[in-house]
């Protein structure tokens, strides 16, 4: 059983886990009364409170129609909404989750210019930026939906200001999530209660017969002992505070340092290594999404592929597991309504593959 101290704030009962932390949900009360289904068919979505043996505590479980179903803690409304958190001081958000399917987390913010959202998904970590002007998006990595428990700690102010520096956050108002899975220990923290990570300055590597690696020099602060993990995208490079890392392909490589403190809290920082003198990176680009309206004279889409890498390159197209055909670009006839996922596979001279 988790130890908590209760106090009253804004007419709602919250739990504190430290002087500078506010527990918004730890599931230990055995209820789901703080949550509502806010999106999708409510009859096909449920929220339950269960004991999770893997985590060793009670957790909140969402079951519904994938990302069509949405679940809300707090509220997305403005200052007049009594369910909103209205937290103006604690702008670090930490939560634990266990998902095996695509998810989307929305953090409801009140900003100088009104209600806005930070979003976090199981997309690659290099996927980040502004979505339609009112949302700022970050990928947490594909491994975040691998069916294991993961704890994320995000500096909401830093994430928001990276893309919206002229529209500061006034308050944090709620936590929303789409997709079926489990969550636990949703906490708002002060900045001095979280670890920090510093992956170092961006570097340039010019490959020569005697120089093939960069030196990654990490720094971190937090409650000791600290552990360090390095990643390129979603690929684990290795542990240790500092290390050498061999690179061979030209272009920009995003290298991320993850620092974990004694309590399991995490912080991360990303730097970029630009490589010259190596081989061209293998890439595939299947083109933008398309809409096909079938008429007597229009029954096909034009698939226009692109690829880079060590020549000669070969191209193969698939719909799901079904082979469509070769060639860089081609016409493809479709007859059934709905969404069709078309994949381009590019193979280089050494047999390496990339797909999109």
């Amino acid at each position: 059983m988790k130890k908590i101290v209760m106090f009253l704030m804004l007419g709602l009962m919250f739990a504190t886990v430290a002087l500078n932390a506010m527990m918004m949900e730890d599931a230990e009360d055995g209820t789901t009364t703080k949550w509502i289904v806010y999106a999708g068919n409510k009859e096909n979505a449920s929220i339950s409170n269960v004991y999770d043996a893997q985590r060793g505590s009670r957790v909140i479980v969402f079951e519904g129609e994938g990302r069509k179903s949405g679940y809300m803690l707090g509220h997305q409304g403005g200052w007049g909404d009594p369910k909103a958190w209205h937290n103006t001081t604690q702008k670090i958000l930490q939560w634990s989750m266990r998902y095996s399917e695509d998810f989307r987390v929305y953090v409801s913010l009140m900003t100088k210019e009104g209600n806005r959202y930070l979003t976090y998904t199981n997309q690659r970590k290099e996927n980040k930026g502004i979505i339609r002007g009112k949302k700022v998006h970050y990928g947490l990595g594909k491994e975040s939906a691998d069916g294991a428990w993961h704890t994320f700690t995000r500096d909401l102010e830093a994430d928001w200001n990276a893309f919206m520096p002229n529209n500061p956050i006034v308050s944090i108002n709620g936590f929303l999530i789409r997709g079926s899975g489990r969550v636990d220990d949703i906490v708002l923290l002060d900045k001095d209660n979280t670890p920090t990570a510093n992956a170092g300055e961006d570097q340039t590597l010019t490959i020569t017969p005697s120089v093939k690696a960069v030196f990654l020099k990490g720094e971190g602060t937090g409650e000791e002992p600290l552990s360090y993990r390095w990643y390129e995208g979603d690929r684990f490079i290795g542990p240790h505070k500092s290390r050498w890392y061999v690179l061979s392909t030209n272009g920009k490589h995003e290298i991320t340092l993850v620092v974990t403190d004694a309590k399991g809290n995490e912080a991360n920082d990303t730097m970029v290594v630009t490589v010259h003198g190596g081989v061209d990176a293998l890439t595939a680009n299947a083109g933008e999404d398309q809409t096909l309206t079938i008429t007597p004279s229009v029954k096909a889409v034009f698939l226009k592929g692109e690829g880079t890498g060590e020549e000669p390159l070969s191209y193969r197209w698939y719909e799901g597991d079904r082979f469509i055909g070769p060639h860089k670009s081609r016409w493809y006839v479709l007859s059934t309504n709905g969404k069709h996922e078309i994949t381009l596979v590019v193979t280089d001279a050494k047999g390496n593959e990339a797909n999109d």
Side-chain angles (χ1 to χ4, degrees), residues 340-354:
H340 298 255
E341 288 198 351
I342 312 298
T343 300
L344 171 65
V345 179
V346 178
T347 306
D348 69 9
K350 294 181 179 179
N352 302 312
E353 292 187 346

Side-chain angles (χ1 to χ4, degrees), residues 110-327:
M110 176 57 66
T111 70
K112 180 181 176 182
E113 296 178 4
N115 192 217
R116 299 290 188 270
Y117 296 93
L118 271 165
T119 72
Y120 301 96
T121 70
N122 57 301
Q123 293 178 336
R124 294 176 179 176
K125 293 175 183 175
E126 56 264 34
N127 289 340
K128 53 189 174 182
I130 299 173
I131 305 174
R132 299 188 185 94
K134 291 191 176 183
K135 297 185 181 72
V136 171
H137 167 79
Y138 286 87
L140 298 175
K142 290 185 176 181
E143 71 277 8
S144 60
D146 63 5
W149 279 101
H150 295 277
T151 298
F152 299 100
T153 304
R154 302 297 303 199
D155 184 333
L156 304 178
E157 206 157 46
D159 284 352
W160 181 257
N161 289 345
F163 296 95
M164 295 288 193
N166 297 320
N167 182 24
I169 295 174
V170 177
S171 67
I172 313 301
N173 283 351
F175 179 96
L176 301 80
I177 189 165
R178 286 177 178 257
S180 298
R182 300 184 171 204
V183 300
D184 192 23
D185 290 345
I186 301 171
V187 189
L188 287 174
L189 305 162
D190 288 341
K191 286 191 176 182
D192 59 3
N193 195 47
T194 59
T196 66
N198 184 353
E201 297 297 321
D202 293 348
Q203 301 187 47
T204 297
L205 171 65
T206 301
I207 296 175
T208 68
S210 59
V211 178
K212 298 180 180 180
V214 292
F215 186 63
L216 305 176
K217 185 177 181 181
E219 297 290 341
T221 64
E223 186 171 337
E224 300 285 352
L226 299 175
S227 66
Y228 300 82
R229 306 191 311 278
W230 292 92
Y231 295 86
E232 180 175 358
D234 297 320
R235 188 173 72 83
F236 179 58
I237 294 172
H240 307 306
K241 188 174 181 179
S242 301
R243 60 179 298 114
W244 286 96
Y245 181 47
V246 176
L247 289 162
S248 59
T249 56
N250 292 329
K252 293 185 177 181
H253 299 254
E254 287 198 351
I255 312 297
T256 299
L257 171 66
V258 179
V259 177
T260 306
D261 69 9
K263 294 181 179 178
N265 303 318
E266 292 187 347
N268 63 76
D269 185 46
T270 299
M271 52 90 77
V272 176
V273 179
T274 303
V275 178
H276 303 289
V279 299
D280 288 335
L282 178 61
T283 66
N285 184 352
E288 297 296 321
D289 294 345
Q290 300 187 48
T291 299
L292 171 65
T293 301
I294 296 175
T295 69
S297 60
V298 179
K299 298 180 180 180
V301 292
F302 186 62
L303 306 176
K304 185 177 181 181
E306 297 290 341
T308 64
E310 187 172 340
E311 300 285 351
L313 299 175
S314 67
Y315 300 81
R316 306 191 311 279
W317 292 91
Y318 295 85
E319 180 175 359
D321 297 324
R322 189 172 71 82
F323 179 58
I324 294 173
H327 307 305

Side-chain angles (χ1 to χ4, degrees), residues 62-73:
F62 308 118
E63 295 179 294
E65 299 177 308
R67 289 198 314 182
K68 290 182 181 179
S69 301
Y71 313 91
M72 183 191 301
L73 173 68

